Amino acid sequence: MIDTLRIGLGIDLHRLVPGKRCVLGGVEVPGPTGMEAHSDGDALLHAACDAVLGAAGLDDLGTLFSDRDPRNRGRDSREFCAEALRLLRAAGLTVWSLDAVIEAERVRIAPHRGAIRASLARLFALAPERVNVKGKSGEGLGEIGRGEALRATVVALVGGDRDAARRAATSD
Ligand code: MG
């Protein structure tokens, strides 16, 4: 398991509506619109969790945390990350790196990029240089270009958890 390397992909699209919060990577991004969602609508964390879970061959976020379950209403998506990380570690794996793209027209990512990157690194127990976040505009095209939606795409590299293996080896 130690030398295993796996790649996972997560994509999440949310409708943008006036008067809602826009939270990305656990960071509040002020603006005229925010995500319509059952949970807090953090599309970046949802995509990151799906990328990580997918790489590990585990159930996806929608299966683990149903949007029909009232317990998940308005829920802080950072809790989803903690659970994804717990499941990953139980499988003897850990996150090695994350690379993310946020596509949005009126949500300005650049001023918050550093904070989002640091938050993602913290949530997935990674050094900041192992996490990257890019903002892209929709070039005025489609639902993203019209400012009606925001999409996050994340690629995760997942590998064997050396620390867990070391702990297991020394616990006998
Ligand atoms: Mg979502």
Side-chain angles (χ1 to χ4, degrees), residues 33-50:
T33 56
M35 270 75 97
E36 189 174 75
H38 187 73
S39 67
D40 65 1
D42 194 326
L44 178 56
L45 291 191
H46 298 173
C49 285
D50 265 346

Side-chain angles (χ1 to χ4, degrees), residues 12-14 37 39 41-43 46-47 61:
D12 197 35
L13 180 85
H14 276 264
S39 67
D42 194 326
H46 298 173
L61 197 65

Side-chain angles (χ1 to χ4, degrees), residues 59-104:
D59 280 340
D60 71 333
L61 197 65
T63 306
L64 292 172
F65 301 99
S66 168
D67 60 6
R68 292 192 196 126
D69 188 337
R71 282 175 301 177
N72 296 328
R73 182 173 291 281
R75 196 154 171 191
D76 187 328
S77 295
R78 288 175 292 191
E79 293 175 27
F80 302 152
C81 297
E83 178 63 7
L85 209 55
R86 191 189 67 76
L87 290 169
L88 212 69
R89 284 173 172 163
L93 296 165
T94 192
V95 183
W96 284 27
S97 69
L98 294 172
D99 193 15
V101 176
I102 302 167
E103 293 167 86

Side-chain angles (χ1 to χ4, degrees), residues 5-6 20 22 25 27 35 42 57 74 79 107 109 116 131 156 164:
L5 278 180
R6 300 180 195 167
K20 289 275 188 182
C22 180
V27 175
M35 270 75 97
D42 194 326
E79 293 175 27
V107 181
I109 304 299
I116 294 171
V131 178

